[in-house]
Structures are given as C-alpha cells and as structure tokens.
Amino acid sequence: MTASVLMSTFDNGYNRKNDRQFAEFSQLIYNVTVTDEDNVSVTYEIMADSCSQACAVAEDLAASEMINIAYIDVQVMG
C-alpha cells in the first residue's frame, strides 16, 4: 500500500505558481500477532518501513500492556 501526500511550492513572491508534487511513502501495513506464555494472542496492525520495525513496535505495545511474549508472528498485509 502506498500513500500520497500533496505538497505545494512557490516560485517567487510575485508569481505564485503551485507545483504539486506527490511524495510516496514506502511503509507497509503489517499484521503482528503477539502470543504470551499462557497462549493468549493479541493482534496489532502496524504501519512500518520493515518487518523488524513492525516487530519492535509490537514488542513495545505488548510491554505497555504487561504481556510476557512467548512468540511473535508477523505478516505483510499490503
């Protein structure tokens, strides 16, 4: 999945010309399932640049919810 952002630029103060440029983000959506030691799973949808970054964000989210992680499953959604 790619997202576009609309950016405008000005040539000078007298001639206001809007040049629209689209910047594409390279982030993907990851479906990360964190399973704790009691075999209870929590699923997060995380937008990240890489699989390792999505895993790190999921670990932080699980730590904030006091979940003891047994394993993590990461899948690319788009």
Side-chain angles (χ1 to χ4, degrees):
M1 180 176 129
T2 59
S4 298
V5 174
L6 179 63
M7 300 172 62
S8 63
T9 59
F10 297 102
D11 287 340
N12 57 34
Y14 298 108
N15 183 13
R16 289 187 171 184
K17 180 180 176 184
N18 288 335
D19 292 330
R20 294 188 174 121
Q21 299 172 348
F22 292 95
E24 291 189 9
F25 295 109
S26 62
Q27 292 185 332
L28 297 173
I29 297 175
Y30 293 89
N31 190 6
V32 183
T33 303
V34 177
T35 305
D36 68 359
E37 296 170 344
D38 297 326
N39 207 20
V40 176
S41 298
V42 178
T43 302
Y44 303 104
E45 287 187 3
I46 299 171
M47 185 176 285
D49 292 326
S50 64
C51 180
S52 61
Q53 185 182 19
C55 187
V57 171
E59 287 176 355
D60 289 342
L61 291 171
S64 69
E65 296 180 17
M66 304 296 288
I67 297 173
N68 292 325
I69 300 172
Y71 63 92
I72 298 175
D73 179 39
V74 182
Q75 297 178 357
V76 179
M77 297 304 292

